[in-house]
């Protein structure tokens, strides 16, 4: 065993040196060290915990060397060490023990680390004991994330981090998330600041969850204050896996899975569709459509005799059992002079929709973190050097998931089912086929959404490389006085290539390409930052503990450039040859290029943490930031915060309750943070000379003269958004620390949002961003955790958390008090349907309330006789009854009101873990409540020939048939075009995100040459409890992400997240 | 050890100076260093003209479009969801920000002109004559943009400086129109006596023409012959006559001998097609192959570089909107191309014209009977969605198709057939929405001749216009002049303001002729029974005097600086009666 594991370790080391092209010098001497120790005596030992249970897999290491083993299934180990040597025994969750070897056998008792008690959390420029933390933070461990086997760490965090609202922006692989902490704080950039290994602004989705050691979320202002001008939206600190002292450990995690759509709406088949279309014509007093006369007889007969059901486009593009796979290899080890951690991982995921071209996502990442002590004096690491490096490469190909004009799922939901997908020769059923089939005779705009998708999105790939590196020098001249200098470098490059072949589906310009077209774009750039901190920790009289931190930071970003070019006229007509070099149409070439736009931030900051006997804690932080985004006089801002804590259970008077209350800490904090995330140069009246300001004098139609104009009003006074937050909370552990409770109440006021408030039209030029909006978020968060054993073998934990948030806009600096949302969201011809307005939550849905449907003319007459208003001057039975809210006897915009809120009031997470004799069962669930979705799977605005879901049978078609959905009409109609609550649905849901059953074969084969060999099966998104009728109740789409990312809950055919079944292994050597 | 600490402290003190945070935009200049050169000056002027294209991006909200649809010559049309088109015809409101886009866009032109007037003097290396020409163009364009804003909204803020002032009051009547006339006088004085015919630039004579147009509207509508300008100068009728006479005598602009040849459907690639009604009639469009139109004084120029998101106004959006509704086969609607069917010709125009001047060739040069097209189908072809369709289309501002070399299919615009060297911005070749790029003429010399007659009461000018149409001379009378303007300038954006300046009764009577004319709804014959919708055209005119509603968002924005600055809504708007709820069906 001992020999085996050492062999494994050696092999691993060799592999490793091969991989990284040389090991740090401390390792180079390692085999020699092992040789010499073997001349010494053999020690046999047992490691048990305080209850006498053997500890399996504990690290036993001769202190100061890398000579070590890991305990076996019975907690035993054998190691050659000289007499008198000191053994260091460590295991996760236990206090590390140092024991002197005095005889041939030894028994070591590990004492459980009173867990949470001594746990440390990352707090920004340092760590802090969790029990001393006075702010509101939440920590998620890497192993918790990895246990859920998600592609992105954010998905896994949904159930574990109350107060962090994470919503998928699409279920398409590789797409992002909308994340806000404690509610939307602005209509600008509300995303929290991500800090990955000290480097700000990284992309958490680039990391494989297996690379993550821990994620710490800073939620209140006091915790975020150390990030000053960028802390207003909260901070997410990601620490990647770091080197550890101990034997080299190699782990492999891998899984493979199958994904399917969890739910598919029922669409009308060809015959049903024809019946419904006829019904519509009939309702209108028109003739039934002459299907028989206009469709080709072959097509008509095959529909009538049932031999052709029509095309279910959605099913057609469903990618059955779409594969997903992930491999992650991690190697970690080191001694007290040098440690390292290496990770290599690969993920690939196909999308569940998009067949035959498919959405596709791949990610490869490599990480190497290492720490070296350069000068050690006694126990003091005087000079040490460390580095972190992560590199990743992502590729993504996708179908359209955008607004109503560029959404393939919406296109397939809407397409008429009569049209066959393919013609008899197996090609896309396109223009000639549509013409011959007679379909154009009935539906002039008929298309083939499959063909459209294949041609327009079938050939595209985006590639993205990202490199994050940091090097840190630490100098500790005297104990606990540490000067730390960290230099960070981040670079990324991306490219995109797309090819659209020549095609013609129908005469509309949007359904044909008269020549093929290739687009190539590329972008690359870098940023750096340099942070210097001085930290001194000391105690006075052993009871006053003081931790001082002072630092500076400078950061510069945007050193980069982008180019894009398009051309047509390919020498070849295929994707492989779709390169600009092969495109020869000189006339159609276009190219653009621009710099990224440089910017910088310079900062001074300081922190004082004080505690008295770990009973009373106090912390003060101040940060002074200067941002290049503002004019010279308004550049600098100061962001203070204060927080205090009181560990009541350390008081004498609490002794009596110590039998049930192990720990109780009250916390309070207040602070101010800023948000400087705004486009630069708002303080200047810039002049545009772009292509948009030209004029074709002298008939220079191909090269119009360039014009110049001042494109916006300057706002020299523009400055930070400020977020002020008050937080009260407590942390408690009860009943022998089995029950953990964390509670927080907060009130976050974000002032002076940078809004592009409308200015008077007669100013005649673009509005600057002004500091013109306030919003208040108030909420509570509660997390309960129960951790226990039943008998010797059965362990379990139950975690429940919830967060409630209320969002209310309190000021918008224009007379209306409104920031308007976009129009044409659900359908062409619809007006604005969401907005930000004083007194309402950001992004609430704005529309008419309805009070049912007029059932008959008598009802209409009575309604009118009573003096009530109607939308149409001549309503007919089947029309909606729009509510005249303000009672002015007319239905106008003034009657529109809050008909829904896309942001949930309440989110909740559930985490269950059970362990029994090598079996483990993990269950994770996540729910959101109190929010609404606006759904439309057809464009009621401009096409009467869109298909329907079977919901169409619930519309009004005679007295008493429906009191919610109005009569069907061809094309658009006031019943449908005026956004009302008929599009709103409650979207409360609870999703069983993950259920995993695993078994560790190490239990069965204790002598196997690894520490863990776990096999598991997982079901993700197994079921969702919801009343929502769409495919997925978690809809983070606003219909215009570029300009209205604060909107959400628009379902036009939202790409749903898949239901996945996985099989995987975890191997540890 | 101490050294290390010193080093640490030194490192911590590193930089953080302001220099580190200074950044510069490498893609934009700013008003601190622009304009300074001759090239800059040219760009600044170009930027003002560019506003013509900007408004073109959303023609449906513009004054030109509104004045066409609201006039007695055209109905609203469009699909049933194109409520805007019908609302403009009916002088009703739809939505809360019906005309915001135009209001904002046109003021952008004013701002650019203000900026130019303020800064052009900084440009070095420009001859005085060139600089004066530039300045004159800026004054002209500011006047033209205010002419449209004042005609449309009546009572508006009138900034003549680039400084954003939230306390500017609304002005109307003499102060507002005085500013317009003052700018035109300035333009006339500044610009050299040199025509810019065919270049796209305006010249002194264009300013004289617009002076006439603006003066006639102001003096008629506000019933005031002598205008006191903001700078105190007075402009009398005689001043205007002098300028118009100068224009007629000295400008060099002239009438195109054949009226037909003014319009794009007579272009050489279309007019002799086998489907053309004019095959072999010897018609030759004056602008064939970028030929100079000696009659065109002020026009919107277009180009081949449209982009959906930013510069869709580089192509003629009016032509698209007025085009034949429905995706009908070009062979059946030849020579006209597809569009949205806005502004069907009101049958009362056709009948008035027929009654008053039955032999006027301009009627058939201006109006197309749809039944005379090769195979027009009612109800917007297969779309089956067309409100207020009539038997007539106007022919002046339309997409004009031409046959491709293959002999069977058609270019969405003849321009592609005429000029094989067009290099369209990506993806926009042969696109019916994006290919109409022939000039849209806003002021023609014929109008100057008609104004001369109207101002002087002498029929000479109008008889020149009649002679060109092959019609006999007539004696001057107000009614003859008014008819002449209606026939000669039909669908060119002047009728609406003419009606208004002729007086309320005249306007009401004319507009009410549209009541109950024959129309088609979704292809089914019916009547234009509007009294149930807006209470009748005349009554809406009485309520509004033809002014459009001020955008309500502008009214609420105006209160930002204080309630006392809040704009007043125009009369006849903001009530429930003034709302359009869609065509009753």
């Amino acid at each position: 065993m001992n020999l085996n594991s050492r062999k494994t370790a050696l092999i691993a080391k060799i592999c490793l040196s091969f991989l990284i092209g040389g090991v740090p010098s401390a390792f180079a001497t390692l085999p020699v060290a092992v040789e010499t120790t073997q001349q010494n005596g053999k020690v046999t030992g047992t490691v048990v915990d305080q209850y006498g249970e053997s500890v399996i897999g504990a690290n036993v290491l001769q202190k100061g060397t890398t000579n070590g083993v890991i305990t076996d299934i019975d907690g035993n180990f054998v190691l050659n060490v000289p007499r008198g040597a000191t053994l260091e025994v460590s295991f996760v969750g236990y206090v590390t023990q140092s024991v002197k070897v005095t005889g041939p056998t030894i028994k070591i008792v590990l004492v459980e680390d009173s867990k949470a008690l001594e746990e440390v959390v990352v707090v920004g420029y340092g760590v802090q004991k969790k029990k001393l933390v006075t702010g509101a933070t939440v920590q998620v461990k890497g192993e918790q994330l990895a246990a859920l086997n998600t592609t992105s760490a954010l998905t896994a965090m949904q159930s574990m981090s109350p107060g962090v609202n994470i919503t998928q922006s699409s279920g398409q692989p590789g797409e992002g998330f909308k994340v806000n902490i404690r509610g939307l704080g602005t209509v600008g950039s509300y995303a929290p600041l991500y800090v990955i290994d000290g480097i700000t602004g990284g992309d958490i989705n680039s990391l494989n969850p297996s690379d993550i050691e821990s994620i710490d979320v800073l939620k209140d202002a006091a915790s975020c204050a150390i990030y000053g001008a960028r802390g207003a939206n909260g901070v997410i600190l990601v620490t990647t896996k770091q080197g550890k002292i101990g034997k080299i450990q190699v782990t492999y995690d891998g899984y493979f899975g199958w994904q399917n759509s969890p739910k598919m709406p029922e669409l009308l088949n060809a015959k049903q569709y024809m019946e419904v279309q006829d019904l519509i014509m009939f309702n209108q007093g028109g003739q039934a459509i002459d299907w028989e006369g206009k469709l080709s007889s072959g097509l008509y007969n095959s529909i009538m005799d049932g031999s052709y059901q029509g095309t279910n486009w959605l099913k057609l593009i469903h990618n059955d059992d779409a594969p997903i796979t992930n491999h992650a290899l991690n190697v970690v080890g080191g001694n007290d002079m040098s440690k390292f951690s290496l990770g290599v991982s690969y993920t690939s995921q196909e999308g569940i929709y998009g067949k035959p071209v498919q959405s596709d996502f791949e990610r490869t990442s490599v990480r190497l973190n290492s720490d070296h002590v350069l000068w050690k004096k006694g126990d003091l690491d005087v000079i040490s050097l460390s580095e972190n490096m992560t590199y990743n490469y992502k590729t993504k190909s996708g179908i359209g998931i955008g607004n109503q004009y560029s959404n393939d799922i919406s296109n397939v939901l809407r397409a008429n089912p009569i049209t066959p997908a393919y013609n008899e020769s197996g090609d896309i059923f396109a223009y000639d086929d549509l013409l011959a089939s007679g379909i154009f005779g009935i539906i002039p705009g008929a298309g083939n959404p499959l063909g459209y998708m294949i041609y327009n999105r079938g050939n595209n790939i985006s590639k993205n490389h990202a490199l994050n590196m940091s090097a840190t020098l630490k100098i500790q001249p005297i104990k606990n006085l540490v000067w730390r200098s960290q230099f960070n470098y981040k670079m990324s490059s991306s490219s995109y290539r797309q090819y659209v072949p020549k095609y013609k589906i129908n005469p509309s310009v949007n359904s044909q390409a008269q020549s093929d077209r290739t687009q190539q774009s590329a972008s690359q750039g870098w940023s750096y930052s340099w942070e210097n901190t001085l930290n001194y920790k000391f105690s006075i009289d052993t009871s006053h503990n003081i931790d001082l931190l002072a630092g500076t930071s400078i950061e510069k970003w945007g050193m980069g450039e982008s180019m894009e070019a398009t051309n047509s006229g390919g020498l070849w007509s295929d994707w492989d040859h779709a390169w600009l070099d092969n495109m020869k149409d000189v006339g159609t070439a276009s190219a653009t290029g621009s710099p990224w736009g440089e910017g910088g931030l310079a900062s001074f900051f300081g922190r004082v943490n004080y505690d008295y006997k770990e009973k009373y804690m106090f912390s003060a932080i101040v940060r002074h930031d200067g941002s290049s985004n503002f004019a010279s006089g308004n550049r600098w801002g100061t962001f203070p915060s204060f927080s205090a804590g009181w560990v009541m259970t350390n008081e004498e008077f609490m002794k009596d309750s110590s039998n049930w209350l192990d720990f109780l800490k009250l916390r309070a904090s207040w602070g101010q943070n800023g948000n400087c995330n705004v486009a630069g140069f708002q303080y200047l009246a810039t002049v545009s000379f772009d292509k948009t300001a030209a004029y074709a004098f002298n008939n220079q139609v191909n090269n119009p003269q360039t014009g110049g104009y001042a494109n916006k009003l300057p706002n020299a006074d523009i400055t930070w958004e400020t977020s002020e937050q008050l937080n009260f909370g407590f942390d408690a552990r009860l009943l022998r620390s089995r029950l953990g409770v964390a509670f927080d109440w907060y009130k976050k006021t974000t002032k002076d949002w940078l809004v592009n408030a409308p200015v008077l039209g007669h100013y005649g030029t673009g509005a600057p961003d002004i500091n013109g909006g306030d919003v208040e978020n108030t909420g509570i968060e509660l997390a309960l955790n129960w951790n226990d054993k039943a008998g010797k073998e059965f362990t379990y934990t139950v975690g429940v958390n919830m967060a409630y948030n209320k969002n209310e806009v309190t000021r918008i600096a224009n007379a209306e008090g409104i920031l308007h949302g976009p129009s044409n969201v659900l359908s062409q011809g619809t007006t604005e349907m969401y907005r930000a307005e004083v007194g309402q939550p950001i992004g609430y849905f704005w529309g008419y309330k309805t009070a049912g449907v007029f059932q008959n003319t008598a009802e209409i007459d009575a309604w009118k006789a009573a003096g009530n208003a109607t939308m149409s001057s001549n309503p007919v039975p089947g029309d909606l009854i729009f509510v005249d809210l303000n009672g002015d006897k007319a239905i106008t915009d003034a009657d529109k009101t809050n008909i829904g809120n896309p942001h949930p009031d309440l989110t909740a997470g559930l985490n269950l873990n059970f362990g029994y004799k090598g079996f483990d069962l993990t269950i994770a669930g996540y729910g959101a409540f109190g929010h609404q979705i606006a759904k439309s799977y057809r464009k009621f605005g401009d096409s009467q020939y869109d298909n329907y879901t079977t919901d169409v049978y619930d519309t009004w078609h005679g007295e008493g048939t429906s009191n919610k959905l109005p009569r069907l009409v061809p094309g658009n109609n006031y019943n449908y075009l005026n956004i009302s609550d008929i599009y709103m649905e409650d979207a409360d849901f609870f999703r069983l995100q993950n259920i995993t059953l695993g078994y560790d074969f190490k239990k069965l084969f204790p002598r196997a040459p690894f520490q863990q060999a776990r096999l598991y099966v997982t079901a993700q998104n197994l079921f969702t409890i919801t009343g929502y009728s769409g495919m997925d109740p978690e809809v983070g789409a606003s219909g215009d992400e570029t300009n209205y990312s604060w909107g959400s809950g628009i379902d036009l055919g939202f790409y749903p997240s898949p239901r996945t079944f996985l099989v995987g292994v975890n191997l540890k050597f | 050890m101490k050294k290390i600490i010193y080093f640490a402290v030194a490192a911590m003190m590193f930089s953080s100076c302001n220099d580190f945070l200074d950044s510069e935009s490498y893609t934009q200049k700013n008003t601190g260093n622009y304009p300074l050169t001759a090239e800059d000056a040219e760009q600044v002027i170009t930027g003002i003209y560019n506003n013509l294209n900007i408004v073109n991006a959303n023609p449906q909200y513009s004054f030109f479009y509104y004045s066409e649809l609201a006039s007695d010559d055209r109905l609203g049309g469009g699909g049933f969801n194109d409520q805007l088109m019908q609302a403009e015809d009916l002088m009703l409101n739809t939505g809360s920000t019906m005309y915001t886009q135009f209001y904002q866009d046109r003021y952008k032109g004013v701002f650019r002109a203000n900026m130019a007037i303020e800064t052009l003097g900084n440009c070095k290396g420009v001859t005085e004559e060139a600089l004066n020409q530039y300045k004159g163009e800026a004054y002209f364009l500011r006047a033209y943009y205010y002419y449209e804003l004042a005609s449309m909204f009546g009572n508006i803020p009138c900034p003549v400086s680039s400084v954003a002032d939230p306390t500017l009051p609304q002005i109307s009547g003499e102060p507002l129109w005085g500013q317009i006339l003052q700018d035109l006088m300035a333009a006339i004085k500044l610009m050299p006596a040199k025509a810019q015919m065919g270049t796209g630039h305006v010249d002194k004579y264009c300013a004289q023409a617009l002076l006439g147009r603006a003066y006639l509207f102001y003096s008629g509508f506000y019933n005031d012959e002598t205008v006191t300008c903001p700078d105190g100068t007075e402009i009398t009728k005689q001043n205007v006559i002098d300028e118009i006479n100068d224009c007629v005598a000295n400008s060099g602009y002239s009438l195109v001998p054949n009226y037909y040849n003014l319009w794009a459907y007579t272009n050489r690639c279309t007019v002799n097609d086998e489907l053309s009604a004019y095959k072999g009639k010897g018609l030759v469009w004056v602008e064939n192959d970028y030929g100079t139109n000696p009659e065109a004084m002020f026009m919107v120029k277009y180009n081949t570089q449209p982009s959906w998101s930013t510069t869709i106004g580089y192509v003629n959006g009016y032509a698209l909107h007025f085009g034949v509704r429905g995706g009908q086969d070009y062979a059946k609607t030849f020579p006209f191309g597809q569009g949205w069917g806005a502004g069907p010709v009101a049958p009362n125009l056709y009948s008035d014209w027929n009654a008053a001047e039955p032999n006027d060739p301009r009627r058939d040069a201006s109006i197309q009977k749809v039944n005379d097209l090769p195979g027009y189908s009612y109800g917007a072809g297969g779309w089956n969605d067309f409100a207020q369709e009539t038997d007539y289309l106007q022919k002046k501002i339309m997409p004009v198709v031409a046959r491709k070399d293959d002999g069977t299919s058609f270019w969405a615009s003849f321009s592609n057939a005429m000029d094989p060297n067009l290099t369209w911005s990506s993806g926009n070749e042969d696109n019916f929405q994006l290919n109409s790029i022939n000039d849209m003429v806003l002021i023609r010399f014929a109008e100057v001749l008609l104004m001369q007659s109207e101002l002087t009461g002498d029929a000479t000018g109008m008889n020149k216009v009649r002679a060109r149409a092959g019609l006999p001379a007539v004696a001057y009378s107000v009614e003859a002049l008014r008819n002449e303007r209606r026939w000669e300038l039909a669908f060119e954006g002047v009728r609406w303001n003419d009606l208004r300046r002729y007086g309320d009764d005249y306007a009401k009577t004319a507009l009410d002729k549209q009541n109950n004319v024959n129309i088609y709804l979704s292809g089914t014959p019916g009547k234009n029974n509007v009294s149930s919708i807006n209470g009748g055209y005349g009554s809406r005119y009485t309520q509004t005097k033809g002014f459009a509603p001020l955008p309500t968002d502008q009214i609420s924005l105006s209160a930002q600086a204080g309630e006392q600055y809040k704009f007043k809504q125009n009369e006849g708007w903001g009530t429930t009666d003034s709302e359009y709820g869609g065509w009753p069906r």
Side-chain angles (χ1 to χ4, degrees), chain B residues 57 150 167 222 241 269 302 330 369 447 516 582:
Chain B
T167 68
Y222 291 99
I241 291 170
C269 300
Y302 298 101
Y330 289 153
K369 281 189 183 167
E447 188 187 351
N516 286 319

Side-chain angles (χ1 to χ4, degrees), chain A residues 477 552 687 691 698 761 814-815, chain B residues 1 12 29 199 314 554 556 560:
Chain A
T552 69
V687 174
K691 297 186 290 192
N698 300 309
N814 59 34
Chain B
M1 191 60 58
M12 287 182 61
K29 292 190 179 182
T199 63
Y314 283 168
Q554 296 301 318
S556 45
Q560 269 181 16

Side-chain angles (χ1 to χ4, degrees), chain B residues 265-268 270-283 334-335 403:
Chain B
Y265 60 85
T266 62
N267 80 79
R268 64 171 172 83
T270 302
V271 73
N272 290 318
D273 193 276
E274 61 195 52
L275 289 171
S276 169
Y278 305 112
K279 187 176 178 193
K281 298 259 167 78
L283 298 181
F334 190 91
R403 204 172 288 266

Side-chain angles (χ1 to χ4, degrees), chain A residues 335-404:
Chain A
N335 58 24
D336 63 347
M337 294 297 282
S338 244
K339 328 178 262 196
F340 77 98
S341 166
L342 171 76
V344 182
S345 60
Y346 170 78
T347 306
S348 98
Q349 183 181 8
E350 281 186 14
I352 51 176
Y353 285 112
K355 201 175 134 189
V357 287
Q358 284 164 5
S359 327
D360 221 334
F361 173 69
E362 281 185 64
R363 178 181 62 205
T364 308
S365 52
V366 180
R367 170 183 44 81
L368 178 63
N369 294 340
S370 59
D371 281 283
H372 312 287
V373 179
L374 303 183
W375 179 20
K376 195 169 178 111
K377 202 166 125 189
D379 272 352
L380 194 65
D381 296 342
V382 181
I383 301 178
S384 54
L385 186 66
S386 61
E387 63 76 31
N388 292 315
M389 190 282 296
T390 57
Y391 162 78
N392 63 68
Y393 172 56
K394 290 188 289 190
T395 61
K396 195 168 80 173
S397 309
I399 61 169
I401 52 170
N403 61 18
Q404 53 153 327

Side-chain angles (χ1 to χ4, degrees), chain B residues 89-402:
Chain B
D89 174 53
L90 299 165
M91 289 173 274
L92 291 174
N93 182 62
T94 177
S96 58
T97 55
M98 187 174 178
Y99 294 111
T100 299
Q101 183 80 41
F102 172 71
Y103 183 94
Q104 290 176 334
D105 285 348
R106 201 83 293 176
Y107 272 113
K108 286 179 190 166
V110 170
F111 171 81
R112 292 178 190 188
N114 285 338
M115 205 78 183
I117 291 165
E118 286 165 2
T119 60
L120 276 171
N122 300 336
C123 296
K124 304 280 183 290
V126 194
T127 64
E128 197 181 341
E129 184 181 313
L131 198 62
N132 284 339
Q133 166 70 21
Y134 282 151
K135 283 185 186 166
E137 289 180 60
Y139 278 109
F140 172 91
L141 290 166
R142 184 165 80 182
Y144 182 77
Y145 297 154
Y146 272 131
Y147 170 82
E148 291 201 339
L149 287 164
S151 298
M152 184 135 171
F153 301 110
N155 194 15
I156 52 169
C158 181
V160 289
S161 116
S162 66
V163 176
D165 181 356
T167 68
L168 268 188
Q170 278 171 295
I171 58 171
S172 62
E174 191 170 46
L176 179 58
W177 287 87
Q179 180 65 47
I180 294 167
L181 298 174
Q182 178 184 312
D183 278 354
L184 289 168
M185 279 303 203
I188 292 166
K189 289 200 180 84
L190 279 163
M191 288 194 275
K194 190 169 130 191
Q196 295 283 339
M197 200 183 295
T199 63
H201 285 277
V202 293
D203 52 34
K204 175 179 181 160
Y205 309 110
C206 299
Q208 290 169 332
L210 184 56
L211 179 80
R213 195 192 267 191
Y215 175 81
L216 283 170
F217 179 77
Y218 171 76
S219 58
F221 188 82
Y222 291 99
N223 199 16
D224 178 13
E225 285 224 328
T226 301
V227 190
T228 307
C229 298
D231 65 2
T233 56
E234 282 197 341
I235 295 175
T236 62
K237 187 173 185 180
Q238 190 54 48
N239 295 144
V240 179
I241 291 170
D242 292 346
E243 298 300 342
I244 293 290
N245 285 342
D246 180 46
C247 182
V248 172
N250 303 318
S251 69
Y253 287 97
S254 62
L255 295 179
V256 169
N258 185 334
Y259 188 78
Y260 276 96
N261 289 342
L262 285 165
W263 313 110
Y265 60 85
T266 62
N267 80 79
R268 64 171 172 83
C269 300
T270 302
V271 73
N272 290 318
D273 193 276
E274 61 195 52
L275 289 171
S276 169
Y278 305 112
K279 187 176 178 193
K281 298 259 167 78
L283 298 181
V284 182
W285 185 41
V286 67
E287 294 177 33
N288 271 340
D289 303 301
Y290 307 117
T292 296
N293 179 347
E295 190 171 337
M297 303 186 76
F298 178 45
M299 73 288 288
V300 184
K301 309 234 24 134
Y302 298 101
N303 65 62
T304 58
Q305 305 300 306
S307 149
W308 280 107
S309 52
T310 49
T311 54
I312 195 68
Y314 283 168
V315 292
N316 192 338
Y318 295 95
L320 172 65
H321 274 255
F322 299 158
V324 183
R325 185 164 179 82
Q328 306 194 39
D329 196 334
Y330 289 153
K332 296 182 174 172
T333 63
F334 190 91
F336 301 115
Q338 189 184 346
W340 309 140
V345 174
N348 45 296
L349 170 64
Y350 196 86
S351 52
D352 283 357
W353 203 333
N354 232 4
E357 199 82 69
N359 299 320
D360 189 348
R362 292 173 297 186
R363 186 193 62 223
D364 291 339
S366 308
I367 299 177
Q368 177 70 50
K369 281 189 183 167
V370 295
N371 282 322
D372 291 346
L373 291 170
Y376 182 86
S377 69
Y378 286 88
W383 290 10
N384 202 29
D385 180 34
F386 200 160
Q388 291 183 305
E389 183 176 17
T390 70
D391 292 319
Y392 310 101
L393 288 169
Q394 60 81 29
K395 298 165 87 165
K396 290 183 173 177
I397 301 168
M398 284 291 273
V400 175
V401 303

